[in-house]
């Protein structure tokens, strides 16, 4: 599987700064997950094992970014893996009664970086629907008891999605502006170097 994954990568045309931001945010989220579990004394092995697996996945992504490569469909694969991992962590930690009620932020951060506020809000709604679906299927709530989980999960995911979406928009605009500024400066320097070399050659042949 690993070899297939590597064979699917393609050379990047531009530095994928967004990948490094997403990788960093994923590390931060994983550290928070493990810290919360450890401090609460509720470090269940399924949660820790899943977090460790996600950490290995993040190492693969870091290697790809370091070698300036990407998977085919890199952005949506990242968001999809994070969404599935977030849902699994939500379930394994106990759902609404667990310590990771806001774990949807794992997928929201990736969506915000890769698809900015539209993607973050869309993933927020998707995570809410998936989490609510699991709660309703396993808790035996009646229609009268639906309001609290709906409000809690919708509020958390939409609030985080909106906030991260706006932050992602600002971050990516800043990174793009810096990148294009550096590219323009590099092209200008290369143009000056070519002109200088041409002038030297003209002077040489004119002697």
């Amino acid at each position: 599987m690993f070899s297939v994954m590597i064979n699917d990568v393609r050379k990047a045309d531009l530095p994928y700064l967004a990948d490094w931001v997403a990788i960093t945010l994923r590390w931060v989220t994983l550290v928070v997950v493990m810290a919360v579990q450890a401090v609460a004394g509720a470090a269940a092995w399924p949660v820790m094992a899943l977090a460790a697996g996600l950490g290995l996945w993040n190492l693969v992504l870091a290697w790809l970014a370091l070698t300036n490569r990407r998977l085919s469909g890199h952005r949506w694969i990242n968001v999809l893996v994070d969404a599935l991992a977030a849902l699994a962590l939500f379930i394994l930690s106990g759902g609404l009664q667990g310590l990771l009620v806001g774990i949807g932020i794992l997928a929201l951060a990736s969506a915000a970086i890769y698809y900015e506020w539209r993607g973050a809000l869309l993933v927020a709604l998707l995570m809410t629907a998936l989490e609510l679906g699991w709660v309703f299927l396993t808790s035996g709530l009646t229609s009268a008891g639906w309001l609290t989980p709906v409000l809690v999960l919708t509020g958390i995911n939409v609030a985080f999605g909106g906030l991260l979406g706006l932050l992602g928009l600002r971050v990516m605009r800043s990174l793009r502006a810096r990148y294009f500024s550096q590219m323009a400066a590099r092209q200008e320097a290369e143009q000056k170097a070519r002109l200088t070399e041409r002038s030297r050659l003209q002077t040489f042949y004119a002697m």
Side-chain angles (χ1 to χ4, degrees):
M1 181 178 179
F2 183 76
S3 60
V4 172
M5 183 183 300
I6 299 303
N7 288 335
D8 285 343
V9 298
R10 57 184 174 78
K11 283 289 186 179
D13 297 321
L14 296 173
Y16 285 93
L17 301 176
D19 292 344
W20 284 113
V21 177
I23 289 167
T24 302
L25 292 175
R26 195 174 294 110
W27 282 128
V28 171
T29 305
L30 288 174
V31 169
V32 170
V33 167
M34 300 183 79
V36 167
Q37 293 288 303
V39 170
W45 73 263
V47 173
M48 304 304 282
L50 180 56
L54 196 57
L56 291 176
W57 165 247
N58 214 30
L59 285 176
V60 172
L61 294 176
W63 177 81
L64 292 175
L66 188 63
T67 56
N68 203 33
R69 293 172 179 268
R70 265 188 164 186
L71 296 168
S72 299
H74 192 86
R75 296 191 302 169
W76 69 263
I77 289 175
N78 272 263
V79 176
L80 178 61
V81 170
D82 287 339
L84 293 175
L87 179 62
L89 287 169
F90 175 80
I91 293 172
L92 293 173
S93 64
L96 285 173
Q97 286 71 45
L99 299 172
L100 302 178
V101 178
I103 192 58
I105 195 172
L106 178 66
L108 297 176
S110 296
I113 293 301
Y114 288 123
Y115 299 104
E116 299 175 358
W117 67 269
R118 293 182 181 86
L121 289 179
L122 180 61
V123 172
L125 295 176
L126 174 63
M127 290 303 303
T128 300
L130 292 174
E131 291 170 349
L132 284 174
W134 182 82
V135 170
F136 294 155
L137 287 174
T138 58
S139 63
L141 289 175
T142 62
S143 58
W146 289 6
L147 183 59
T148 298
V150 168
L151 290 178
V152 170
L153 292 175
T154 303
I156 291 175
N157 288 327
V158 171
F160 277 138
L163 178 61
L164 290 172
L166 292 176
L167 289 175
L169 180 63
R170 291 175 63 90
V171 168
M172 293 313 300
R173 281 181 175 176
S174 175
L175 290 177
R176 289 191 193 101
R178 182 179 301 178
Y179 171 75
F180 287 121
S181 176
Q182 291 175 347
M183 289 296 294
R186 183 182 302 174
Q187 290 174 355
E188 183 179 356
E190 291 174 351
Q191 180 67 15
K192 288 182 178 179
R194 285 194 294 268
L195 291 175
T196 300
E197 184 64 21
R198 183 181 302 173
S199 177
R200 288 177 179 174
L201 288 174
Q202 290 175 344
T203 302
F204 175 79
Y205 287 115
M207 293 177 62

